[in-house]
Amino acid sequence: MEITGKIIAALPEVSGVSRSGNAWKKKEYVLETQETYPRKVHFTCFGDNADKIVLSVGQTATVSFDIESREYNGRWYTDIRAWKAEIAQTPAAQPAAPAASPFDAGVAVPPPPIVNNSAEEEFPF
């Protein structure tokens, strides 16, 4: 499955050692969809994917993930694990079109008024 949205939270990396003695680590993120009614989705990058998938708050990304639910003590828990993330490319800044000059349209523009700001000139007040 895939979902696209803006990363609104990047939680600190968590690591540890399993009961069998294997080291593990995970990174968690929260993505907000860009729909009429935005949804927040918490997902995990586990194991090697924690190193491969590096996202920052504010980035727009398309995340591919698997959803799995499991039962523990009569309660069900759902885990969303990302296995790929593609950061949306922002369009390159395009050069601005030159401003249209009134002279280009053939419109006569009067010259600006001449102002004398010398100290010798007296103003009648």
Side-chain angles (χ1 to χ4, degrees):
M1 300 181 84
E2 283 187 349
I3 193 165
T4 300
K6 184 177 182 180
I7 303 299
I8 60 169
L11 304 173
E13 183 177 293
V14 178
S15 61
V17 178
S18 68
R19 285 186 226 162
S20 60
N22 298 324
W24 59 269
K25 64 180 163 182
K26 69 176 180 177
K27 287 184 186 174
E28 297 173 296
Y29 298 96
V30 179
L31 176 139
E32 184 174 52
T33 62
Q34 298 170 341
E35 300 169 344
T36 304
Y37 300 104
R39 307 242 185 236
K40 292 180 177 83
V41 179
H42 171 264
F43 64 93
T44 304
C45 301
F46 194 81
D48 291 338
N49 290 330
D51 294 328
K52 290 182 207 174
I53 300 173
V54 179
L55 300 169
S56 300
V57 173
Q59 289 180 322
T60 299
T62 299
V63 179
S64 300
F65 57 90
D66 293 324
I67 299 175
E68 184 178 353
S69 295
R70 58 187 166 77
E71 184 265 336
Y72 179 74
N73 287 340
R75 296 200 58 190
W76 285 90
Y77 299 90
T78 301
D79 192 23
I80 300 174
R81 287 197 184 180
W83 50 270
K84 181 174 88 171
E86 295 175 350
I87 298 169
Q89 298 296 323
T90 56
Q94 300 197 0
S101 167
F103 299 107
D104 293 341
V107 177
V109 178
I114 299 173
V115 178
N116 185 357
N117 289 333
S118 67
E120 298 171 355
E121 186 178 20
E122 294 184 27
F123 294 101
F125 291 145

